[in-house]
């Protein structure tokens, strides 16, 4: 099975781009960002160009696949191409080709969207974990307050960051106070996503017995802790409520977030009522 996820970003006053991700049998084999050469008049024109470009990728990557599916998040554009499916099947003889709508929140469509905005996409080999919205989970807020559970999150340090690197501070706190904020991670920009690289470095650090001993000496309880996704680490979130964690799997924990206000202040303000 060959799958192509395509999306576009229309820019009325500048260049517009197409993002594509290609999978064969569920495995990614291609991703790209391509400028729209024509002058699109609107977003629909852009999405139609994205689907046209997706067909060109099918021509490149198809190897007699029995099933070919092209995805896009514009219902109007998809409907337009569904009327052309029969002609496309004649071009790719022996293959069934279909054009399907898919929400942008789905993992690979979200990747195509990011690529169309010229944001690099990196699929970490690290297993993804479920993300829970604490705004709808009184048990989480109560646990943080009453059991003094540890909450881990990252802060960007502007004065230690530049155009070539980003510095993050690892903060660990409870409802009562900050227990640790003296561990810094400077990550070079470029290549795999900066936040993904930071998470990998921190996971490695938190797997070091000496580092863990140092954290425990500060009164930090690692077990049943929480990793809070903030604006600084939102890039670790995939789709379908999944995300990469900065904590290694050896530490039992949950990943939590709020879809609207991602600040640590929001979390602890909401937890305050469970004192």
């Amino acid at each position: 099975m060959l799958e192509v996820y395509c999306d576009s970003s229309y820019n009325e006053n500048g260049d517009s781009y197409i993002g594509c991700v290609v999978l064969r049998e569920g495995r990614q084999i291609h991703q790209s960002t391509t400028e729209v050469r024509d002058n699109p008049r609107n977003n629909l024109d852009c999405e139609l160009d994205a689907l046209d470009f997706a067909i060109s990728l099918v021509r490149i990557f198809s190897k007699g696949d029995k099933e070919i599916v092209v995805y896009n998040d514009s219902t109007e554009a998809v409907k337009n191409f569904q009327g052309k499916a029969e002609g496309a099947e004649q071009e790719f003889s022996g293959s069934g080709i279909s054009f399907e709508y898919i929400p942008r929140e789905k993992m690979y469509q979200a990747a195509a969207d990011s690529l169309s905005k010229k944001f690099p996409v990196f699929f970490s080999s690290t297993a993804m974990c479920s993300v829970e919205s604490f705004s709808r989970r009184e048990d989480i807020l109560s646990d943080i307050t009453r059991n003094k559970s540890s909450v881990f999150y990252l802060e960007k340090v502007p004065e230690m960051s530049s155009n070539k690197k980003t510095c993050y501070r690892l903060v660990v706190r409870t409802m009562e106070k900050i227990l640790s904020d003296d561990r810094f991670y400077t990550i070079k920009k470029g290549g795999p996503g900066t936040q993904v690289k930071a998470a990998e470095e921190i996971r490695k650090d938190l797997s070091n017995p000496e580092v863990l001993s140092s954290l425990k000496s500060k009164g930090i309880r690692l077990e049943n802790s929480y990793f809070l996704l903030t604006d600084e680490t939102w890039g670790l979130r995939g789709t379908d409520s999944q995300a990469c964690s900065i904590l290694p799997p050896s530490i039992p924990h949950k990943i939590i977030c709020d879809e609207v206000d991602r600040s640590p202040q929001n979390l602890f303000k909401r937890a305050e009522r469970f004192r």
Side-chain angles (χ1 to χ4, degrees):
M1 180 178 183
L2 187 72
E3 299 171 282
V4 182
Y5 296 79
C6 65
D7 203 353
S8 68
S9 291
Y10 172 61
N11 187 351
E12 185 177 3
N13 300 311
D15 296 330
S16 300
Y17 291 88
I18 295 167
C20 285
V21 178
V22 182
L23 281 73
R24 170 170 285 112
E25 305 301 338
R27 182 178 180 182
Q28 184 191 177
I29 59 173
H30 170 83
Q31 63 172 242
S32 61
T33 299
T34 306
E35 183 179 346
V36 179
R37 292 300 180 183
D38 298 328
N39 294 317
R41 296 167 297 175
N42 49 46
N43 184 65
L44 177 58
D45 279 356
C46 253
E47 297 295 0
L48 292 172
D49 284 338
L51 284 160
D52 270 328
F53 185 73
I55 292 298
S56 70
L57 291 179
V58 171
R59 294 189 183 103
I60 294 171
F61 292 104
S62 178
K63 296 181 178 178
D65 302 270
K66 290 185 178 181
E67 186 177 2
I68 301 170
V69 185
V70 179
Y71 297 100
N72 186 274
D73 60 12
S74 166
T75 53
E76 192 172 356
V78 168
K79 186 176 180 180
N80 182 291
F81 267 74
Q82 284 175 338
K84 304 177 182 179
E86 187 174 338
E89 285 188 353
Q90 291 178 2
E91 179 179 353
F92 303 102
S93 59
S95 300
I97 185 167
S98 60
F99 300 91
E100 303 290 343
Y101 165 79
I102 188 171
R104 184 169 295 176
E105 291 73 25
K106 296 299 182 180
M107 181 175 178
Y108 291 109
Q109 190 62 30
D113 174 60
S114 294
L115 288 165
S116 74
K117 294 179 173 66
K118 299 195 294 182
F119 295 147
V121 177
F122 176 67
F123 292 100
S124 174
S125 58
T126 304
M128 305 284 273
C129 303
S130 296
V131 181
E132 301 181 54
S133 175
F134 62 77
S135 60
R136 296 190 292 269
R137 293 289 302 274
E138 291 190 354
D139 58 324
I140 290 176
L141 297 173
S142 175
D143 181 50
I144 290 172
T145 302
R146 295 170 181 168
N147 296 325
K148 299 180 180 180
S149 300
S150 300
V151 179
F152 290 71
Y153 59 91
L154 297 186
E155 291 181 341
K156 184 178 178 181
V157 187
E159 63 271 20
M160 298 174 65
S161 302
S162 68
N163 292 334
K164 296 182 179 180
K165 63 183 181 181
T166 301
C167 182
Y168 296 97
R169 174 191 287 113
L170 175 63
V171 181
V172 189
R173 66 162 293 179
T174 62
M175 187 67 194
E176 303 298 329
K177 62 180 180 180
I178 292 176
L179 299 176
S180 176
D181 63 355
D182 57 358
R183 304 197 72 83
F184 297 88
Y185 301 86
T186 301
I187 309 298
K188 289 184 179 180
K189 294 182 179 179
T194 304
Q195 295 175 23
V196 173
K197 289 191 289 186
E200 290 178 342
E201 187 169 323
I202 296 168
R203 278 196 302 273
K204 182 179 179 180
D205 209 23
L206 296 182
S207 298
N208 184 326
E210 292 183 4
V211 173
L212 295 178
S213 177
S214 174
L215 293 176
K216 289 178 180 178
S217 70
K218 296 179 180 181
I220 296 172
R221 287 192 295 115
L222 301 172
E223 293 76 16
N224 302 316
S225 53
Y226 295 90
F227 166 45
L228 173 65
L229 285 174
T230 62
D231 284 332
E232 285 75 11
T233 48
W234 201 249
L236 296 177
R237 182 165 183 175
T239 54
D240 295 331
S241 300
Q242 298 282 304
C244 293
S245 181
I246 63 171
L247 299 175
S250 57
I251 299 177
H253 68 282
K254 293 180 179 178
I255 304 177
I256 57 175
C257 75
D258 184 90
E259 297 287 349
V260 180
D261 185 346
R262 303 167 188 166
S263 67
Q265 292 78 13
N266 178 46
L267 168 64
F268 292 106
K269 182 180 178 180
R270 286 176 176 268
E272 182 72 31
R273 64 190 178 95
F274 291 95
R275 281 184 181 274

